[in-house]
Amino acid sequence: MSSAPAKSLRFRNPRAQHDFKGRTSSIVAVGSYVPERILTNAELARTVDTSDEWITSRTGIKERRIAADDEFTSDIASKAALMAIGRAGITPSEIDLIIVATITPDMLFPSTACLVQQKIGARRAAAFDLEAACSGFIYGLEIGQQFIMSRTYDTVLVIGAEKLSSIIDWSDRNTCVLFGDGAGAAILQNRPDSHGLLTACMGADGSKAELLCMPAGGSRCPATSQSVASRLHYLRMDGKETFKNAVNAMLTAAQEVLRRCELDITQIKCIIPHQANRRIIDAVGERLGAQPEQLFVNLEKYGNTSAASVAIALDEAVQSGRIQQGDLLLLVVFGAGLTWGAAIIEW
Ligand code: UT7
C-alpha cells in the first residue's frame, strides 16, 4: 500500500482553501464512553429464538453494552465529552457550541445538548440536538466545521450518543440482537497543527423513511394506550432493504469525499465505517477496492450504537495506536432517514 503525501493535503480541500479564506477546522481531541453492563449473544439466546451462531455469522456482533436504568443519553454523552475535553486541554467554559447527534434523547424536548451543557458545566455554549440517526456524528462534524470555518465559533463539541436499549423491542429477534448503547465525542477548533477535517459530505432520501423508524411518540402518532399496546414506540426495520441501501449509499458517499480530495483508496490508512453489520462493512470495503486491513471494525463488542458508532470507533482507533499523525482516515456512515455521509480526516 502506498503511503500518503500527508503534509500537503490539508490545504487541498477546495472549500478550506477558497470559500473561507483558509480557515480550516481540526478534530483536536476525541473521547468515548460505553456503559459497564455487557449483554452477550448467549444471554439474548435465552430470551428470544436466536443463537450466538446466527448473530455472529449474519452480523459479526458478539456482545453489546446496555446502560443502567438511571443512566440516560445525556449521562453517556457527558462522560464521552469530558474525556474529549480533558484530552484537548481545554475547560468546558471554552466551548462555544454543543451538538448532540441522537435518536434517543432523554426527552423529546428540551434537547439533550442542553442537558449535557449543564452536566459538563459549559455555561457559555449554545446547544442543540441533531437527528440524522446513524449518520448523526458525520452530520455533526460537517455542521460544526461550518461554524469554525465561517469564524462564528472557535470551539465546537460534537457528540454522538445513544441509549438504544430504551427503544428496542426486546421480544423482536429481528432487531434486538443488533443494537447497543454508548457515546463518542470530538472537539473541533481551528488549529492548523492538529488533525484536519479535510472534507465531509452528507446525503438523505426521505422517500425510504419507513425502512427504519420508530412509528409512534411524535406528532403523527402521539402516545396512547393503543400505540403502546401495538408496540409502536419501538424501533422497526426492514433489514434486507436497509442492508442494500446501506451498501450503495456508503459506497457513493465514500467515493464522493475521495474524489473531492483527489485521493485514491490506497492512500487511506484507516477506513472507519458505521458499525451496523460486518457484511455491510466488508461489501463496502471490497467495492471501494480497499484491503481488509484498512477497515476498522469494533462492532463485535458494541453492536450498532447508531450516532455513537463511528465516534466510538474513531476514539478506539486513535487510542489503540492504529492511527498515527499524518495518516488519512475515511469515515463513512448510513442510517435511518435515509441518511448517509462520509468524511476525510488527516490525523
Ligand atoms: O444502522 C442503520 C443501518 N442498519 C443496517 O444497515 C442493518 C441492515 N440489515 C442487516 O444488517 C441484516 O438485514 C439483518 C442482520 C438485520 C438480517 O440479516 P439477513 O441476512 O438480511 O436476514 P433476514 O432478515 O433475511 O432473515 C433471514 C432469516 C429469517 O427467517 P426465515 O424467514 O428465512 O425463516 C429471519 O426470521 O433469519 C431469521 N432471523 C433470525 N434468526 C435467528 C432474523 N433475526 C434472527 C435472529 N436469530 N436474531
Side-chain angles (χ1 to χ4, degrees):
M1 201 184 305
S2 63
S3 60
K7 275 184 190 142
S8 61
L9 271 168
R10 182 161 298 141
F11 300 103
R12 275 171 58 189
N13 172 5
R15 291 184 302 163
Q17 208 169 14
H18 303 301
D19 296 359
F20 296 101
K21 300 193 179 79
R23 200 181 206 225
T24 57
S25 75
S26 299
I27 298 178
V28 299
V30 287
S32 66
Y33 169 79
V34 289
E36 270 173 39
R37 189 178 159 222
I38 296 171
L39 178 62
T40 63
N41 290 349
E43 285 173 85
L44 277 169
R46 290 199 282 274
T47 56
V48 288
D49 182 14
T50 190
S51 63
D52 176 48
E53 197 283 323
W54 191 96
I55 303 170
T56 307
S57 62
R58 304 311 292 166
T59 72
I61 299 164
K62 298 295 284 183
E63 57 190 41
R64 66 289 292 146
R65 299 301 179 105
I66 304 295
D69 290 346
D70 61 353
E71 191 175 32
F72 311 119
T73 299
S74 64
D75 299 312
I76 301 170
S78 297
K79 286 183 179 159
L82 288 171
M83 190 176 282
I85 290 165
R87 288 180 182 152
I90 62 169
T91 61
S93 59
E94 289 173 65
I95 296 168
D96 298 306
L97 173 66
I98 301 170
I99 303 172
V100 174
T102 187
I103 53 166
T104 49
D106 287 25
M107 299 173 264
L108 267 183
F109 72 89
S111 71
T112 299
C114 285
L115 306 178
V116 169
Q117 186 231 35
Q118 190 273 329
K119 282 182 179 163
I120 67 173
R123 264 171 244 105
R124 284 182 51 249
F128 66 84
D129 283 3
L130 183 169
E131 209 225 75
C134 305
S135 307
F137 187 67
I138 285 192
Y139 268 58
L141 290 181
E142 168 72 333
I143 294 165
Q145 163 168 266
Q146 299 300 324
F147 280 110
I148 304 277
M149 288 161 76
S150 66
R151 298 168 196 268
T152 309
Y153 292 128
D154 292 322
T155 303
V156 177
L157 167 60
V158 180
I159 307 170
E162 302 287 6
K163 184 177 178 176
L164 290 167
S165 57
S166 66
I167 60 163
I168 295 304
D169 182 347
W170 290 103
S171 67
D172 176 13
R173 71 175 183 172
N174 291 294
T175 51
C176 77
V177 303
L178 303 174
F179 298 96
D181 302 334
I187 305 285
L188 301 186
Q189 288 185 327
N190 165 236
R191 264 200 228 169
D193 59 331
S194 193
H195 318 302
L197 181 53
L198 299 186
T199 193
C201 77
M202 309 183 285
D205 180 0
S207 72
K208 294 179 179 164
E210 305 292 330
L211 286 184
L212 178 49
C213 66
M214 189 170 92
S219 60
R220 177 158 127 187
C221 183
T224 60
S225 51
Q226 180 60 40
S227 70
V228 173
S230 303
R231 309 185 84 74
L232 298 178
H233 296 270
Y234 293 123
L235 176 156
R236 288 184 174 187
M237 179 170 70
D238 176 338
K240 268 205 184 327
E241 276 306 306
T242 306
F243 188 110
K244 279 188 241 159
N245 281 277
V247 173
N248 290 334
M250 288 168 77
L251 183 64
T252 306
Q255 287 168 336
E256 166 67 16
V257 291
L258 288 167
R259 189 193 56 73
R260 279 192 207 170
C261 292
E262 297 168 31
L263 287 169
D264 185 80
I265 193 68
T266 59
Q267 293 173 281
I268 301 293
K269 178 67 189 303
C270 187
I271 303 168
I272 302 182
H274 174 47
Q275 309 281 313
N277 186 317
R278 178 78 217 207
R279 292 183 294 137
I280 295 176
I281 293 172
D282 289 343
V284 172
E286 196 179 308
R287 287 180 204 192
L288 279 172
Q291 298 301 312
E293 59 272 18
Q294 286 173 278
L295 296 164
F296 187 87
V297 181
N298 67 356
L299 91 172
E300 68 282 0
K301 293 188 290 183
Y302 308 126
N304 180 348
T305 57
S306 188
S309 157
V310 287
I312 295 171
L314 174 62
D315 185 38
E316 286 201 358
V318 173
Q319 305 316 321
S320 68
R322 172 86 180 260
I323 300 169
Q324 301 297 324
Q325 187 165 10
D327 285 346
L328 290 168
L329 320 181
L330 166 63
L331 274 52
V332 57
V333 293
F334 172 83
L338 302 176
T339 55
W340 56 85
I344 303 269
I345 300 165
E346 182 189 346
W347 203 254

